[in-house]
Structure formats: C-alpha cells, structure tokens
Amino acid sequence: MSAAAAIEARGIHAYYDTSHVLHGVDMAVGRGEIVSLMGRNGMGKTTTLRTLLGLIRPRQGQVLVHGRDMTGAPAHRVAQAGIAMVPEGGGIFPKLTVHENLIMAARPGRDGGPGWTFAHIVELFPWLHERLRHMGGNLSGGERQMLAIGRALMTNPDLLMLDEATEGLAPLIRQEIWATVRRLKARGVAVLVVDKDIETLKTIADRCVVIVKGRIVHDGTPATLAADHQMTMRHLGI
Amino acid sequence: MRSLLRTISRRDLLRQTAVAGLASAANFIPAVPAIAQKAKVKVGLLLPYSGTYAALGHNITDAMKLGLAEAGNKLGGRDFELVQLDSEADPAKAAANTNKLIVGEKVDFLSGPVHSGVAMAMAKIAREEGTLTIVSNAGANAVTREMCGANIFRTSFSNWQVCFPMGTEMARRGLKRVVSVTWNYAAGKEMIGAFREGFEKAGGSVVKEILIPFPNVEFQANLTEIAALKPDAVFAFFAGAGAVKFVKDYAESGVKAKIPLYGAGFLTDGTLPAQGAAAEGVFTTLHYADSLQLPANLRFRDAFKKATGRDADVYAVQGYDTAQLLIRAMEKVKGDTGATKELIRAMEEAKFDSPRGAWRYSKSHNPVQDVYLREVRNGDNAVVGVAEKEVSDPGTGCGMA
Amino acid sequence: MPPLPRSIAILLLIAVAGLATVPLVGGRFHVQLVTQIFVLAVFAMSLDLLVGFTGLVSFGHAAFYGLGGYSLAILTRDFGLVSMGATLPATLVVCGLVSAAIGWLSIRTSGVYFIMITLAFAQMIYYFFNDARGYGGSDGFYILTKPRLAIGDVTLLTLQDRATLYYMALVVLLLTAAFLWTLLRSPFGQVITALQVNEARTRALGFPIDRYKLVSFCIAGILAGLAGYLSAVQFGYVNPAHMGWRESGRVLMVVILGGSGTLFGPVLGAFVFVLLEDLLSGLTEHWLLLMGGFVVAVVLLLPKGIAGLLLSAAGRAAKSGRSAETHPDEQPSVHAIPRGGVDPILETVDLVRQFAGLIAVNRVSVKFSAGKVHAVIGPNGAGKTTLINMLSGELAPTGGHIRYKGRDIAGWSPDAISRLGIGRSFQVTNLYPSLSAFENCRIAAQSRLRSSMRFFRPASRLGAVADRAHRALARCGLGPRSQDAASALSHGDRRKLEIAMVLATEPELFLLDEPLAGMGAQESREILDLLRAVARDHTLILIEHDMDAVFAIADTLTVMVNGHVIATGPVDQVRADRAVQDAYLGHRDAAE
Amino acid sequence: MDIGTIAIQLLNGLQYGLLLFLIAAGLTLIFGILGVINLAHGSFYMIGAYLAYWLSEKTGSFALAIALALPAALLLGLVVERLAISFLYQRDHLYQVLLTYGLILIFNELQRIVWGNDVHGVAVPAILAGVVEITESQSYPVYRLFISAICLLVAAAMYVAIHSTRIGMMIRAGSSSREMVQILGIDVGRLFAIVFSVGAALTAVAGMLAAPINSVYPGMGENVLIISFVVVVIGGIGSIKGAFIGSMMIGLADTFGRVMVPELSSMVVYALMAAVLLWRPSGLYGVKA
C-alpha cells in the first residue's frame, strides 16, 4: 500500500522537550480511505497528527507524503503536498469573517483537477450562506468546526486530518459532522480522524488504528477491533 | 540562606573567604603608582564621542591635539597622554565618568564637556577633588558663578555672555517687540534670559518666551504662533540638529520673509551647510566667527584643515585655547603638576592671541572676550561688527569675583 | 522561588566576602566603582521584584530612583536636614506614596500597555523636574552636605567617607537581598509569584490580585528610591536624566541580562554591565557597537541571562540534589463543611449578558438548592459558560441579579465571590504548571487566610494551610503525587488537581465547567466518583456534555438553548420534557 | 487666537499626526502581527533619512533617491528580520526589548561609521519648494501639504491591503494564530518576513519624506521611537485604524498643547496616553489583553 498511501509514518519517534512521546509509530492512510486513530488521552494521538504534518520534527523515522520523503519538512510544505488538518477546536480566525476564513486558504489541488471551490463549500454547509459576513469569533462551536472543515477543503487536500472532530459538540451537530465525513469519502478525500465517539467511528472507518503510550497496538478493520474485546476494554477504556 | 550556612563548615568558610580576599585583591590592585615627575602628564577629556554631540567632541579633541602638537607634544617638558572618555552627553552618567577620570585614571588635568548637565556634575566633583579643570564648551552660567572654584576654568563662554549683547544690539537696531524661542532646558533658558535682560535694559520688550520640549524638533505649531503674534523680530537659541531644523522651518513656513530672525551664534554655527539658503540673512552673536580676519585665526584654521581635513569651528577654537592654556601654565611651572597654586596663577595670568582675539580671564575664570555680530552671507557667518567689546560675565555669586 | 543550588550559593557567599575586603585592598576608584555597582544592584533587584516575580514589566522604574535622589536633595537644601535618620525615612515615604499613586493607576492595564503607562508617568515626573526652575532644571542640582547618622551630638557615621558609604551600600545590598528572599517565601511572595504564572486562576482562588500587585509595585518603588538615595549621596548630584526612560531601559537591561526572576541574577547583571561598560568604553570610540553586539549575543545565546547559564551549569553538576523530599502522611479525612441552611443557596433573577449585539444569556432565572448537584446542559453557544462566568464573577452581568444566600453578588469581582465560598474549576485545565501539586493546593488554601499580606514568615510554616492542602490532595487521590510538578501530571490527574485546589479553598458551592471534557472513559469514571464524593458535603453546579455522566450524578437539570432556560427541575422530569427532547436530546434518546 | 490661526494650527496638528502615522503604522503592524516589540523601529526612520540624504547627494535628485532608497530599506528590513527578529517570535517580550535595544546601539554606531557625526540638510525638490499664502501673516509650505497627501495615500493603501486582499487576510489570520496559518499551507516565515520588511520600509519612507523638513542627524531615530510607541498604545496594539486615530490625537494634542499650555507642553502627550489607558486599558481599538 505504501506507494499509494496519501501519508505514511515509518517508525517515528517524537519528543516534547525531553519526554519521549512516540516510540516508533508505523501507520499509513491510503487514498480515499477513512482511518480512525484511537487511544486514551495522552497516548500520542495528537502528537502523531502533528508529526505527520511536520509541526513536530521526529527524532527518528520518516514521514512520506504520496511516497515522497518529507521528514522534517516545514508544515506548510506538507500542507501544500495535499495534507490538511483541522486541529481540536477548529482553529478558526476570530477576527476574520466567515467568508475571509474560507477564501484566505483557497489553493488549487495537486492534480489541478476541478477541486473544491467556494460554491462547493457553501453547498456542503448551506447555513454558511447567511453567515458570510459574521466574524469567526462569533460562531458557535459546531459552526466553527464545520467552517474549519470547509476551510481545510478550500486547500483541496487529498487527506484531511480531524483532531477531536466532535469534542464538546452537541449530539445533533455530531451527527452532521459524521455525515460530512462520509460525504468526503464519497468524493475521494481520505480522512484520518481522532475522536472519542468510538461507536460511530466503527461504522464509518475503513480501518481503526489504536495507539497506546506512543506505540501502535492495533491496525485493522473495525470488525477485527470489535472482535478483540479485550483490546477495546484495555486500551480504549470502554 | 539558613540551610546554606549549615552545610558549610566554619573552617571551609574561613578558607574560602581568605581565597576570595586574595582573588579580589588581585583584581583590584591599582595601576603601578606614578612617579610624579617622570611619568606622563595625564589629561582627561570627558566629551561626547557618540550620539548627537559627537561632532563637537571630536572637533574639540582634534584642535587640542593640534595645539599640543604645535608645542612639540610636550607639556612643560614632559610627555603627556590624553585620556578620552565618552560622556555620551548623559548627565546620568556624568558623575561616575568624572570620577573615573579623576580617581580612577588619576588625571592631572580634566577637560570637557559639551553638555551643561554633565558640566554641573563634573564641576562638583572637580571642586571636591581639587583637580585642575578646564571647561571647554558647556556654557552653564553657574560654572563660573555659584559653582566657581580656584581650580575651575572655562575656555568657552557663559550662556549669559553670548546673548546679553544681542539684546542691546537688537534694541539699537530699533526693534521693539520680540518673541524669543528655545528648548525648555537649562541652557536655553539661560540664553533667552540673558537676551531679555539686555533687550529690556535697552528699552525693548519681549512679547513672549516660547519654550519647546527638549529635544523635540517639531516647530510648526510655534511658527504659526509666531506669525500670529507679528513681532518685530525673533530671537532663537537652538543647537545642532534643532538649529538646522528650526532655521529651515522658519524659512520654509514663510515667516522669515516677514519677520527677521536673530539668535545666539550656535543657531548658525557648524550647521550652515545643512541649512543652506534658509539661513541667509540670519543675525547672530558669538564670541567667534569662522571668517574673523585675525592672523591667529587664519593660521589656526589653515593648520586645522591640514591636520583633520575638516573646517575649524567655534568648538575647535575652544579646544585649541584649552591646549594653549595648558601649555602656558605647564611651561610656567616647568612641568611640576604638583605646584597647583602656581599653575592656577599661570592660567589666570595667561595672555595670548586666540583665534577669537586677545585672551584674558575674568576673576571668576571666565574669558573676557569680544562678542561679534554676524550675518549669514553666502553660506558664511560674516562678521558685520562687534556687538559688544570685552564682555565679561558678571560672575554673580562667585566668591572670587 | 526554587532554592539556590548549593554551588551557586557558595560562590555568592565567597563573592560577598571578597567584596567586603575591597576598601582594605582596592584603590579609591575601585571603592567608588563597586559602590556604584552595589547601588545599581539594589535598583535592579527592586525591578526584578516587579519583572521577574510579579510579572509587571515597568519601563518607568527610574522615576522612583530619581525621586529618591531628588527627595534627599530637596530635604537637604530646602529643609536643612542632614541627619540620615530624618532624610532616609522621609525619602522612602515619598517614594512609597508616589509609587502607590502611580501603581494604583497603572495596574489596571497589563502587558505592553503596562510597560507604556509606567513610561508615561515616569516621563511626566521627568519633565516636571526638567522644566522646573526651582530644582535646577536640566542642569540638575547639588547635595552639598551629605547625610550623617548621629545620636544626640555623637556622629556615628558620615556618608562623606567613601569607605563608610561603601559598606553602607554593601549592607543595603545584602539587606535588600535578604528582605526580598524572605518576602518571596512569605505568603505574600507566594501570591505574587502565583499571579505571575496564572493571573486568572489566582483571582478565582479568591486573591484580590490588584492589591497584591500594588503592594509589590510600592515595595519595588521604595527600594528603587533607596538605591536613588544612595546614588545621590555618592556623587552629591541629582539630574532629571536619572529618571529618564534611558535609565529605566538601562536597569531593565541589567535585570534581563543578569537573569530575571532569580534575585542574584540582577546583581550579577549589575557587575557585568558596569564592568563591561568600563572595559569597552576604553577600547574604541565605537564601543557602543561592541556593546550592542554583546547584548544581541546574550539574547540569542543565553536565553535566561547570566543567572540562567549558572543555574543550568549548577544543575548539571548536581542533578540528583533535589526531589528527595518525603511525602507527608496522607490521611484522607473528610473535613466537615456545614451545609448551607439557606434555600435556595444561589438564585439568579432575570440575569442578562450581552456581547456586542449578541445576547448570550437572556433573562435567566434559576434557583439552586443547597446540598444538591445541579447540571446545566445545552447545545454549544447556549450560554452555559457565560452563565457560570457570571456566577463566579469572571463576567459582569449586563442586567439582573445573582443572590447568594440572599445577598446580591451580581458584578462582584471573582476574588470576592471566591472568598464568599463559591469555588470554580475551569473548562480548560487552569493550574500553575511550574509548581508542584502540593504548592498548587497550598496557594489555594492560603487564600482562606484573612489576608496573605504577610511579608516575613515563610509560607511553608503555615501549618494549617499545609494541612488543608494535603487533605485536599489526599481526598482527590493525589497524595502520592503531591511533589510532582503540575505540568508533569497526566490529563486526568491535572483535572483532579484542579478540583483539589478548589476544595482547598473550602467552598460551600462548587462551580464546574465541563469537568469531563477531554477525558477517556476510565478517567471520566474516576472524576465522576470524585465528584460524587465531593457532592456529599458541597453544593455542585456543573456544565457537562456527557449525558450519561449528567444523568448519573445530577439531582436537578437546567436546559439552556440560545441564552434561554427552556426547562429546569428534577432530572427525570426534565428528561421527559417534550421541548427538551426536541431541542436538544433529540434523536439520541430515540436511538437508545 | 483668531479663526485663521486656529485653522492653521489644526493643519499643523494633522500634518504632524500624518507623519507620525506613517512611522506608527509600521510599528503597530510588527507589534500586532508578529508580536515583537521593536525598539529598533526608530533606527529605520533614521536610516531612511540618511539614505535620502546620501542618495540625493549622489544622484542630485530627491525623487531618484527615494526610488533607490525604498528597495534598499525593504531589503534591510528583510535582512534584519532573518538575522535577528525571526529568533524572537516565540520569546518573551523582555528579550525582544533587550535584543532590539542592542540593535539600536549597533545601528547608531554603523550610521556614525558610514555617514559621520554631522548634521545634514536635504533640499526640498524645486517643484515643491514654495509656500501657499493663507492670510496676510500666515503661509504654509507646499512640501508639507505634499507629505500629508502621501501619508493619506499610504494610509488608504494600507487599509485596502489589510482588509481586502488575500495577503491582508493571511496577515490578520497570522496575528491570531501563526500555527494555524501554517497548517493551511502558507509559509508563515515568509509572510512574517514580508510584514516586517514592509513595516520597516514604511518607517524608512517616513524618514525619507521627513528628511527635507527635518535635518538628518545622529540619534534622530530615538526621538521618534517613544512618541510612535505612544501613538501605537493609544490606538491599541495591532490596529491600523487605532494608529491613525492615535497619531491624529497626538498631533493635535502636541500642537495645541504647546500653544495653549506651554508650561505643561512636554507632558501633554504622556498625560493623554495615561488618560486613554485609564479609560481603556487596551487602547482605543485594542483587543482586550
């Protein structure tokens, strides 16, 4: 799969100052695939995403984007190679309007094909239409998360990474986010998602990767994860 | 600290203290004691070598060097050394810097500074320490009035001295209502104060004294005010960049076409190239002018140009005269810097031809000098007369006067 | 403030001993120069109290330094005072009063604005003396008679003598260091250090932080005045330039260069700065170029100043020196807190909060009974956090009332509300990361003292406070981790520590903003158990998204949508409410 | 004061304010977006003035001098950003103050080494040299009107650039979260370098424009440094609009302060700043700190 993988980590070790957070993580997300990265708090999920994107430089190991070695490349280069991320909370720019939040990020995709445009995003989230002049800082949590996803899509990524995709959101909003993820898959965008809603993740993910103390302990389909009841109990705390 | 003391045994402590004492002694052993007669004479210069006044500091220093070189680079037959210290024109550092020269470097003579605030601190410490001091620019009246001392001399001017005659002169010219303008600092206030004294004594009246925050160079508001007051003339004191800016603004705002500009000499001294045509026709008074046709001046200007490649100015003259004074006094005592009384007398009695004219001192150790009336013509401070001959600062409050 | 590594303490002691011998072995100039350095060191330490320990970067500190000198000069000239016994206290009082006035106005601002407002006041004082004719203007003026210390007719010492002045300056330096050292370990010192790390948290714990900042500002101003007094005595000359922004900048350089937040750093900084100026200015006319290069190099190469360099060197030498402290006994005794007799303990009436055009909380009237667990739920943007922020005082209501035990507390400051007995935890964990878990709780417990304006006794000797902190930690199961830095704790433990801190303030009413946010299932269960235990003797109001948790723990439920309360009452009743199901719980119940 | 004089004083105040705005705009941009307190800002003003003087001496044309000095100033800003400022983005304000203070010393000395200690004047270009007669006693220099026009033009251009261009959006976004901008695939390092360089160049332009009316002299940067900080703080850090209002306020307060309360004039601007901060602790248009 590695040649075709949108992103791949090979044995990455990462640190925060002196504390060793990732201990040789191997994982990959194929084209158009939905992968769920699971694990309890403090196990290294966010660190994995940040290392993949180049926000943290691994001390060992490699990060490959579309098969090309991009270890140590700055985050904007990785992003330009087709990787988008929505951090926890969305990272909406509070002093920009909704419209500005979207268009400031716009960039054609790598293959130059007919990608996501402003019109597409508004079509995906129709409520945006009425809020275009509102400031990012005045949106509700759910609106921010959707805007953040829309903004990430404006960069026409091959892979979208969602950190804590539905954290702190009301149930109805959560459902809308998950519906969006399904729609993205239908349009060929790969998604790497971190969330605590394990039940939903099992139904939409192609693969589930479980990380424990900076090591991957499980990498397989939702079915195999469901079968391994002990794993679920021990490492996901269910 | 409590826990710390417990952890060190008393013996250790004693040993360490002893070592520390030695170490610090090694650091602070003073320079090899000078054998008074054989060692070089030390002349300390506290002048600005950086910042806004650096040009003044350099001209004073270079002219002193020129004067000393002309005398064979000896002071009373002895070799000498100039110890230059950058005053940064900062009164906050002045006391410490003076101290460094007098106590640290043990200079035999002290000279400088440009800034009045620095001069005040310098004079204070010089008086306490008794070091022979020659003030080579700062014009603070107090230096040769309340703060005067037997060991303190000035080769420049007092602020009163250069401005009082202009008051008389302007009244003589039939001007009645005048606005004066300067920066709000001590030198500025002394200058316009002296001008007012002279002007009002001669029957004129100062309509308004405008004080501008130092060192602000935004004058437009005050020029508008001046235009609205419509005085017969304006008397201004600024120096350096402020002088350039004021004179240019005065011309460019159109006020100059209607109201003539007078000032203390510093308004147009050393600043004419930068002021250009804006300065043409400005009248000033000063104890010197570049174009003085005196043999001593012509010779000096020529030598200075050769030595430095720059044109001499009033600051250079003051530096040059400082050197003359030193040379003459040291010759009198044959290089014995310990003969303070004789040195002082020699300085008081020194007579020579300065580039500015004949040299002599007043009782309070301020030069008695002619104050020239100059007009800017073709980029030069042309001498158009003497505003007052042999002006002597009254030396009010000085015990020696 | 962490204790000094032994090696550095020994070095400093040696240095002091060495310095004491300077007048005996050194030349007159060195005596003068080192006196100057001592004075600058006192001045720099006073600024370090603000910059390094209180988190207030003042760019106008020289105003007090200059004022110290001017007070002495004016007292000597205009009042004929030459006795140190009169001039010194008077000078310190003047500096104290002026710094109180400036501080009172300045502490309303923060960050860069604080830097600039202190500069503004200092410039005004500077111009006052610069423009004033009576005090010598820009030329400055003299102190012609130096102060003496006399009893009756016997002159004990006169500062005219250089060696006397030297020792006086050394003694002042040591006393200042000792005073600040004591101060920083006192309850007061603990509070200012805490507020530097986390201002909002410190306020929420019940400390009136503005008062602490002001006192710190005054102490610093008085010490700067003391330095200015000595400096004026040394040279007998004062000038407005001593209070200008360049001097303020210069002393700030000394502090940063030496290493702020260390006390001894600024002293080293003073030595390095003065000696370096002395050395470089003799080398070349363009010495300021070298000075500039040096300053730039320090910033790029020595990120924590000279003191930082020494500390890390000492740290490497004696890495195992610390952390061997024993854990105090843990006795999970539940301390009884009387249940409030008033019912409802807390009540809001028509509470409104508006943000520029948006009404976040709209006429909310809810009653909270004592001893119960109340949950506030609602979709994002419903106004829950705004509501809690008004209850805890972080936000002032635009309208309406909040009654706590019958008293209207709407618009009270967070610290006043905290002292009434309302504690709160934050949505995002909000601790003092560099302090240990125990110290975090100790600060919290200290807030229940009548006042922490105690300056001399070490905070560590406040037995009752320490006990309370230990009890709170033990109760939250953090006893074994009490000595670990808060930043080293796991996410779940940090949340527990947050709860322990609030417990240490012994509140009656406990506000919790999403205590389970970001928790895994196991951690959620632990926190939930803890909350259940806490609920036995506290009234709880919590915001939470985790419905299972809410249903498991809450007695009553309030549902908010778009700033309105759409339902409130016992859990079962609200759950059954049609409107609530439609608006919020919606499909979730259907799916179950 | 008669009406005519008041009108002219108003003009003086606005003109002074506009020049201050040009200096303060760069400062607030660097301050608000890069989060760097740049004490060396005044040095760019000084360097701009010296470049204008030096190049107009060499080329004989003020316009040509500006045309050459502008790219030089941009380049200098870029070099300073890369070599020094870029190391400061994540650091505490204290270290920014210290490092940029060091830069002031370095720039001042370099100026002395390259251009010496003398005060220089720059001639006003001939076509702008005249005065406009306003009343029979009052007239106004054309060049000052010209400067005001340029400053207004720059202010308008900045407003458009910040509010309506994509790069303006990126800059505003970068001021709230540097990392998030990077995540979106934008090279923040380059973006920040551009901002710094433009901010420095704006200040240099102010120095160039002021050179003919101001003299050019050592240490001139420090004189504008404090006052431009005052402007930025009054307006609220990072707000271009605030810087504009702030500089107008300072320009007018300074102008009228001198004429109406001469004995307090040196304190007027500081008193104004203190008053504004007591009323609004984060400046007029600042985001709450």
Side-chain angles (χ1 to χ4, degrees), chain D residues 11 50 272:
Chain D
L11 197 61
Y50 268 95
L272 177 67

Side-chain angles (χ1 to χ4, degrees), chain B residues 47-61:
Chain B
L47 286 164
Y49 296 112
S50 64
T52 316
Y53 297 107
L56 280 60
H58 281 105
N59 274 359
I60 292 174
T61 309

